[in-house]
Amino acid sequence: MSDIVKEFNDYRSKMNDKILSDNNKIVKRIFNLDTNAFAEGVLDKKTKELLGLVASTVLRCDDCVKYHLESSYNEGLTKAEVSEALGIATLIGGTIVIPHLRRAHEYWEALENQG
């Protein structure tokens, strides 16, 4: 697994465990809501991941972008599909999202090169 992918996943997992160990009912419910929102429904998982990716890019949340890129990759989305979604995000978000677009492309390449 690429270093940036492994580092992101290790850190995310470690910190999520710490956050959830506080047993804060509100935080646990938000985590649960997030998980359930991206489950198969009227919209398929691929569509929901692309929606999450676009929203995360427009909101300029690098961790969120990485999460949705990896989920998109695991759902079998292609680079072309992801690139088109990121194009929409850039159109909506404006030039301020270009640094996030760069990091998104770097992370997607790391996902493709994990071995």
Side-chain angles (χ1 to χ4, degrees), residues 12 15 17 22 25-27 32-33 43 49 51 53 68 70 78 80 83 85 88 90 97 109 111 114-115:
R12 183 176 178 274
M15 295 311 298
D17 288 346
D22 286 341
K25 189 187 307 185
I26 295 167
V27 172
N32 187 37
L33 180 62
L43 296 176
E49 287 305 331
L51 290 168
L53 178 60
H68 289 292
E70 191 160 349
T78 66
S83 291
I88 298 296
T90 306
V97 304
E109 286 177 3
L111 290 166
Q114 62 189 347

Side-chain angles (χ1 to χ4, degrees), residues 54-55 57-58 85-97:
V54 169
T57 305
V58 171
L86 288 169
I88 298 296
T90 306
L91 171 68
I92 300 302
T95 57
I96 198 166
V97 304

Side-chain angles (χ1 to χ4, degrees), residues 20-78:
L20 292 171
S21 72
D22 286 341
N23 205 25
N24 181 305
K25 189 187 307 185
I26 295 167
V27 172
K28 283 186 171 189
R29 286 182 176 171
I30 290 171
F31 273 56
N32 187 37
L33 180 62
D34 181 68
T35 298
N36 287 322
F38 286 91
E40 194 79 23
V42 175
L43 296 176
D44 63 16
K45 288 182 181 183
K46 288 181 178 183
T47 301
K48 289 181 177 186
E49 287 305 331
L50 289 175
L51 290 168
L53 178 60
V54 169
S56 297
T57 305
V58 171
L59 291 170
R60 302 187 308 268
C61 176
D62 281 335
D63 280 7
C64 305
V65 169
K66 288 176 182 175
Y67 175 82
H68 289 292
L69 282 171
E70 191 160 349
S71 296
S72 295
Y73 181 83
N74 291 336
E75 286 297 321
L77 284 156
T78 66

Side-chain angles (χ1 to χ4, degrees), residues 7-18:
E7 287 171 14
F8 172 72
N9 284 315
D10 288 350
Y11 177 77
R12 183 176 178 274
S13 179
K14 178 180 95 175
M15 295 311 298
N16 282 353
D17 288 346
K18 286 184 179 197

